[in-house]
Amino acid sequence: MYHDTIRADLFGHSIRGHTVLAISGELDISTTAGLRDRIAAVLEDRARLVVIDLSRVSFCDASGLRMLVAVRRKADAYGCAVALAGPRPHVRKLLRITGLDQTFPIYSTLGQAVPGRVDAHGPAVA
């Protein structure tokens, strides 16, 4: 399916020493390569917990799951911990079916991943 709009975007900000990367849109073959590279660039600069907020992901296929696995491997190489927050029911189901829910800490909300006041928006990540 072809869309004339941006299909996925990445926003990043820091909350109490945690890096939060909020993905919005669709995680599919046409968006994941670019997102993976942008997330990898953020991981190179961070040596702490990175929380990937999936609450605004409207679609995820196998390439989206592969991207999350690649991000996890890259984070491990840099000594970062990665957690997922806020996956919608269909994404949570994919994580469960594939066993990735055993690989990542998964929180129902961003607030649970980073306790306290949380703003899910931030500047776009280059």
Side-chain angles (χ1 to χ4, degrees):
M1 183 184 314
Y2 178 75
H3 299 281
D4 290 330
T5 59
I6 295 174
R7 297 194 47 214
D9 213 345
L10 180 69
F11 297 91
H13 58 283
S14 181
I15 300 174
R16 290 179 301 287
H18 296 70
T19 298
V20 176
L21 300 175
I23 300 173
S24 63
E26 300 177 358
L27 294 179
D28 61 23
I29 196 163
S30 66
T31 62
T32 54
L35 286 172
R36 183 189 61 239
D37 293 343
R38 291 167 63 197
I39 293 170
V42 171
L43 292 174
E44 288 179 27
D45 295 334
R46 310 289 194 282
R48 55 184 174 215
L49 176 65
V50 175
V51 177
I52 300 176
D53 180 0
L54 300 173
S55 63
R56 294 180 184 224
V57 171
S58 59
F59 176 80
C60 182
D61 66 9
S63 56
L65 297 176
R66 273 193 306 276
M67 181 203 72
L68 292 174
V69 169
V71 164
R72 173 64 189 249
R73 287 181 181 148
K74 183 71 77 170
D76 287 347
Y78 289 124
C80 298
V82 176
L84 306 178
R88 292 181 178 181
H90 62 283
V91 175
R92 183 177 282 276
K93 183 177 180 180
L94 284 173
L95 294 168
R96 182 180 48 79
I97 289 170
T98 59
L100 290 177
D101 62 340
Q102 302 300 309
T103 302
F104 291 95
I106 300 174
Y107 299 90
S108 295
T109 67
L110 185 57
Q112 289 175 344
V114 184
R117 187 179 181 290
V118 173
D119 180 9
H121 303 296
V125 175

